[in-house]
Amino acid sequence: IVPYINLGLAYSAQKMEGRGNRQSIFNFKQAIDFSIKYDQLHRLGFAYNGIAQAYINENNYDTARYYLQLSNEQSTQNDYRQLESSNYFLLSKLSFQEGNYSNAIQYLNHSQGLLKQLGDKNRIKNNYGLYAEIYAAQNLLDSAYYYQKWFSIMKDSIFNEELANNLANVQIATVEEQSQRKIADQQEANKRTRMGMLFLASILLLSIALIVVIF
């Protein structure tokens, strides 16, 4: 089930029309069928969300809305708030593309409220970007500029956090490598010391044996 969902997401992320998007829909339908067949109902919401995105890419808004409603039912039943926030983001995107800006803002507000509870910075950033697009389409430039500014701030913040985490991971890896090298050097030194002592002991034993023989 999960591989079909991942394949569907991969095709959908490329936003390809025609065969590519059909492949996305096919994989999500396979995931839905197997989720029901093998009683993996907790995965249904994610498959419904994914296929809705594929239908939005095809401008098939009625079908997309149908699957988003199903996904919302599943997210509510399972308390998947992140999935619910994604559903409302897609509903907002769908309403925006239909030119229903009022509904688009309402859906996006709902999504944003959930994401702030979860502290999901990356999705909050994406919401800011959609806010900016919706307000720009209405020629509300002050609001569009405000949200575009926050989108840029969040984007830079996330990039800097990722960069800091990567640098920290590199430093940790370097320290670990140095520690491993020190341990290996110490083990090699101990090995040489043991071999030296064995060599001296062998010479001593041979010397004693020689003295006994001569005596």
Side-chain angles (χ1 to χ4, degrees):
I1 298 169
V2 173
Y4 280 117
I5 292 175
N6 289 337
L7 281 170
L9 290 171
Y11 280 112
S12 183
Q14 297 176 37
K15 297 181 180 179
M16 296 184 296
E17 296 180 358
R19 183 176 179 275
N21 212 48
R22 287 196 298 272
Q23 283 293 322
S24 176
I25 292 170
F26 169 79
N27 283 292
F28 283 124
K29 284 185 175 180
Q30 290 290 97
I32 291 167
D33 290 343
F34 283 125
S35 295
I36 296 170
K37 181 178 179 179
Y38 295 107
D39 197 26
Q40 297 286 310
L41 302 183
H42 62 285
R43 303 191 189 280
L44 269 176
F46 299 96
Y48 288 146
N49 174 279
I51 199 170
Q53 174 64 73
Y55 279 117
I56 289 174
N57 291 343
E58 287 197 335
N59 299 321
N60 189 339
Y61 300 140
D62 289 338
T63 305
R65 188 175 282 108
Y66 166 75
Y67 280 112
L68 285 173
Q69 289 171 348
L70 292 178
S71 183
N72 256 345
E73 290 174 7
Q74 291 295 320
S75 63
T76 302
Q77 289 176 15
N78 295 286
D79 194 28
Y80 292 155
R81 287 183 292 169
Q82 193 172 67
L83 176 61
E84 186 180 358
S85 74
S86 177
N87 289 333
Y88 280 107
F89 173 84
L90 290 177
L91 283 168
S92 175
K93 183 177 177 182
L94 191 157
S95 295
F96 170 51
Q97 292 181 359
E98 289 179 325
N100 192 335
Y101 303 128
S102 177
N103 278 355
I105 293 296
Q106 287 181 10
Y107 287 133
L108 202 52
N109 287 342
H110 197 142
S111 174
Q112 196 76 332
L114 290 166
L115 292 176
K116 286 182 177 179
Q117 293 175 19
L118 296 169
D120 190 332
K121 294 182 179 179
N122 194 55
R123 291 177 186 270
I124 289 173
K125 176 208 70 178
N126 293 339
N127 279 4
Y128 282 141
L130 186 54
Y131 272 121
E133 290 183 47
I134 295 169
Y135 283 117
Q138 298 175 82
N139 206 31
L140 299 173
L141 300 183
D142 288 343
S143 296
Y145 172 76
Y146 172 82
Y147 283 107
Q148 185 62 42
K149 181 183 70 175
W150 274 107
F151 173 82
S152 299
I153 290 171
M154 293 290 290
K155 184 178 180 181
D156 292 341
S157 173
I158 292 168
F159 173 79
N160 290 333
E161 284 181 11
E162 290 178 349
L163 181 61
N165 288 334
N166 289 338
L167 289 173
N169 290 335
V170 168
Q171 290 174 343
I172 291 169
T174 301
V175 170
E176 288 179 350
E177 184 180 351
Q178 291 173 346
S179 298
Q180 292 296 328
R181 191 180 298 117
K182 286 181 180 179
I183 292 170
D185 291 344
Q186 186 63 47
Q187 290 175 339
E188 183 64 27
N190 292 339
K191 183 179 178 182
R192 286 198 299 267
T193 301
R194 286 195 299 271
M195 290 183 65
M197 292 177 67
L198 288 172
F199 179 71
L200 291 174
S202 299
I203 292 176
L204 181 60
L205 288 172
L206 287 172
S207 300
I208 293 172
L210 182 60
I211 291 169
V212 170
V213 169
I214 293 173
F215 179 76

